Amino acid sequence: MTARMKNPAYVLPTAMKGIGTLVKAIGEGGLDHALQELVALRVSQINGCAACVHGHVASLRGAGESEERIASAVAWREAPFYTEAERAALALSEYATRIADQSRDRVPDDVWNDVADHFDERELSALILVIGLTNMFNRINVTVQEPAGTTW
């Protein structure tokens, strides 16, 4: 499978500057990098982005994450491998990604309160930006049919 076109961020190079700025801001938030990758993996699974799932799995493996944790991200609620903070981040990730599936209270207060109990404002900001940026990448890659295993 080949992509329909080059990634739009490469076609319009100014986009890369904006993306780079967001990535830098996320890094300033103090959110654990492995958690960023775990959240991005879950968001990418929800959105069916093969290229991103492949990339986040590779990043998690490279960071030393266990195969149990990587393989169970899709069923994190039932798996015993995640901390309460990670569960809160994953719950927020799912609600923020599936906003069209909710008729009201798109991110319920109990989900927000739980994640806010585990992360300070800077970490929460980074988490929200990771979720949003991953959703953007997923939508671009799914639209242009970026194949799994692509190196950027």
Side-chain angles (χ1 to χ4, degrees):
M1 176 182 190
T2 59
R4 291 176 168 155
M5 65 176 278
K6 283 194 285 185
N7 187 303
Y10 292 122
V11 175
L12 304 172
T14 304
M16 287 302 287
K17 293 178 186 172
I19 292 167
T21 300
L22 284 173
V23 170
K24 182 178 178 184
I26 290 166
E28 294 170 356
L31 189 66
D32 178 70
H33 186 72
L35 180 56
Q36 292 177 39
E37 290 292 337
L38 182 64
V39 163
L41 172 61
R42 184 64 192 121
V43 169
S44 299
Q45 289 171 335
I46 292 166
N47 289 325
C49 181
C52 291
V53 167
H54 181 271
H56 295 301
V57 166
S59 293
L60 285 161
R61 283 181 178 143
E65 281 293 338
S66 72
E67 289 299 318
E68 289 174 322
R69 285 171 49 84
I70 295 168
S72 298
V74 70
W76 62 269
R77 283 182 178 83
E78 292 79 26
F81 311 119
Y82 306 100
T83 68
E84 291 304 312
E86 290 168 334
R87 291 176 183 285
L90 289 164
L92 179 65
S93 301
E94 289 189 358
Y95 276 97
T97 298
R98 293 181 167 164
I99 56 175
D101 296 344
Q102 310 298 321
S103 60
R104 293 182 41 211
D105 202 12
R106 307 260 168 92
V107 176
D109 287 340
D110 63 325
V111 171
W112 178 259
N113 292 337
D114 191 27
V115 78
D117 285 345
H118 293 285
F119 301 98
D120 65 26
E121 190 171 38
R122 291 180 66 82
E123 292 167 324
L124 269 173
S125 296
L127 177 59
I128 292 165
L129 289 174
V130 165
I131 295 165
L133 189 58
T134 304
N135 273 289
M136 182 192 77
F137 284 138
N138 292 166
R139 280 151 177 74
I140 291 169
N141 289 333
V142 167
T143 300
V144 302
Q145 294 184 346
E146 191 72 48
T150 300
T151 56
W152 289 286

